[in-house]
């Protein structure tokens, strides 16, 4: 192997190692910064399809805005509606504990946090 090939191989290895180290560190920081916690959350379920929106109470929010949030929930209350309309009535209510849901964003007002773009769990 000549000198040029060795140099190229060395540079490639250095770049790959540096990129891996930076990505690993950045991913850990982003994960920690995007965490939130709510004592109680309500999430409507429409005919076995959970809403993409949730209403949280007693929430602690991260300091910075992120594209995705991991929300730890102590108590998740899910009223299951009979139809796709609020006036269709509730068939049952399910209460779940210690759940984690990923959401795209939130708005907050008067102690209530409205989470949107939430993935089904």
């Amino acid at each position: 192997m000549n000198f040029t090939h060795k140099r190229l191989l060395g540079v490639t290895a250095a770049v790959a190692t540096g990129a891996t180290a930076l990505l690993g560190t950045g991913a850990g920081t982003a994960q920690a910064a995007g965490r939130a916690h709510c004592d109680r959350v309500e999430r409507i379920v429409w005919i076995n399809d959970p809403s993409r929106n949730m209403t949280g109470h007693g929430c602690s929010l991260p300091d910075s805005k992120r594209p995705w949030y991991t929300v730890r929930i102590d108590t998740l209350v899910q009223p299951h509606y009979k139809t796709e309309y609020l006036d269709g009535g509730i068939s049952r209510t399910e209460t779940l504990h210690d759940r984690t849901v990923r959401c795209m964003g939130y708005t907050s007002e008067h102690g209530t946090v409205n989470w949107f773009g939430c993935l089904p769990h």
Side-chain angles (χ1 to χ4, degrees), residues 20-84:
T20 303
L22 288 174
L23 286 174
T25 304
T29 304
Q31 180 78 2
R35 290 183 185 268
H37 175 267
C38 291
D39 294 332
R40 179 181 171 89
V41 172
E42 292 92 29
R43 183 181 202 172
I44 295 174
V45 178
W46 306 107
I47 311 173
N48 297 323
D49 185 30
S51 172
R52 300 300 185 255
N53 300 326
M54 304 186 310
T55 302
H57 306 280
C59 298
S60 62
L61 301 172
D63 294 335
S64 61
K65 295 285 187 182
R66 309 294 304 171
W68 282 97
Y69 297 90
T70 301
V71 185
R72 285 187 10 242
I73 302 167
D74 290 340
T75 304
L76 175 61
V77 178
Q78 297 185 129
H80 291 254
Y81 281 80
K82 294 177 186 177
T83 66
E84 294 183 9

